[in-house]
Amino acid sequence: MKINVLAFGIAKEIVGRPKEVLDVSDGITAGELKVLLEEKYPDLLKLRSYFLAVNEEYATEEQSIKADDEIALIPPVSGG
Amino acid sequence: MVDVKILDTPLDTDLCLRQAYDQQCGGVVSFVGTVRNETQGRKVRRLEFECYLPMAQKEMRKIADEAIAKCGAAHVVMHHRIGTIYPGEAAVVIVVSSPHRTAAFEACQYAIDQLKITVPIWKKEFFEDGEHWVSAHP
């Protein structure tokens, strides 16, 4: 299934673009997707931490992802 | 009342204060986060802020609602600026009003502390000799 992955801040620089479409297996969890992303973009592992958001909400590792979900790579935030 | 905004123009601190005033509230507490002109001895020329807009708005609203539920604030105004911001300018304004001052202080502290933990906004510092994303690396 295809999912949209948005990247912000330093994650956008690591991925090289603000958005990409990934083809992943059905029922993949957020935790499994993180592993895939880290294999593709090893520099993610150099970050202090990062989270995935699914449809504008922070995701748990076990949360499963559906086709057409909007995933976002959330590196350490620094607002304020 | 909750008023959450993300703007790409200079913040209006007077407007934020006015929105929080209420004759039932005897305490109005404001926090203004401004851009410092140096970080660890390096001169900061400017900051560039970006955000994941719909999620940042949602997370800011959650924080404002929690400040009301947990701390007893009556009104919470949170305005955050994005784009290019220069030293001395405000990046965030938070104003909280409450019938009594203790709740207003607590709620304002809670709101800025949580904003820095959960709201998907990022800033990049530009120095005379380089640039970096704040807090990205250990």
Side-chain angles (χ1 to χ4, degrees):
Chain A
M1 64 175 184
K2 294 218 171 18
I3 55 171
N4 296 307
V5 179
L6 308 179
F8 295 94
I10 194 168
K12 185 171 65 183
E13 292 180 4
I14 291 171
V15 170
R17 58 186 88 82
K19 182 182 176 178
E20 69 173 335
V21 179
L22 287 183
D23 204 353
V24 296
S25 37
D26 289 5
I28 191 172
T29 65
E32 290 163 350
L33 178 59
K34 280 181 90 169
V35 174
L36 283 186
L37 289 166
E38 286 160 14
E39 282 167 6
K40 198 169 177 193
Y41 305 108
D43 281 353
L44 289 173
L45 292 165
K46 294 181 186 164
L47 298 176
R48 190 158 56 83
S49 63
Y50 77 95
F51 295 96
L52 292 184
V54 176
N55 300 328
E56 303 165 5
E57 298 283 349
Y58 284 105
T60 60
E61 300 272 308
E62 307 77 40
Q63 188 170 337
S64 54
I65 291 167
K66 301 183 298 298
D68 298 322
D69 277 348
E70 182 174 274
I71 314 300
L73 266 165
I74 311 281
V77 302
S78 51
Chain B
M1 179 276 293
V2 165
D3 175 46
V4 161
K5 283 195 176 71
I6 294 175
L7 302 157
D8 59 3
T9 50
L11 300 180
D12 185 341
T13 49
D14 287 340
L15 172 68
C16 294
L17 279 167
R18 281 200 306 278
Q19 281 179 291
Y21 281 139
D22 179 336
Q23 292 191 8
Q24 294 186 323
C25 291
V28 182
V29 171
S30 63
F31 172 82
V32 180
T34 55
V35 174
R36 263 193 313 274
N37 63 5
E38 63 98 34
T39 296
Q40 295 172 333
R42 296 175 82 189
K43 268 192 183 163
V44 174
R45 282 198 161 164
R46 68 178 195 279
L47 295 188
E48 286 185 8
F49 285 78
E50 66 169 65
C51 74
Y52 180 15
L53 185 63
M55 183 173 171
Q57 287 168 329
K58 273 191 194 176
E59 291 295 324
M60 283 169 70
R61 179 162 276 277
K62 279 184 203 169
I63 293 168
D65 289 342
E66 285 164 8
I68 290 170
K70 290 184 181 180
C71 308
H75 305 298
V76 179
V77 179
M78 300 176 79
H79 288 191
H80 203 300
R81 185 175 170 190
I82 55 169
T84 302
I85 312 185
Y86 293 92
E89 293 185 317
V92 63
V93 177
I94 297 176
V95 181
V96 175
S97 60
S98 172
H100 301 285
R101 70 182 182 281
T102 307
F105 276 114
E106 282 176 9
C108 192
Q109 173 98 51
Y110 177 82
I112 184 61
D113 289 350
Q114 286 301 117
L115 181 145
K116 284 173 170 284
I117 297 169
T118 65
V119 178
I121 296 177
W122 299 271
K123 64 183 165 225
K124 195 176 201 180
E125 283 179 320
F126 289 80
F127 305 101
E128 285 169 341
D129 57 349
E131 59 190 59
H132 83 128
W133 288 101
V134 176
S135 301
H137 293 109

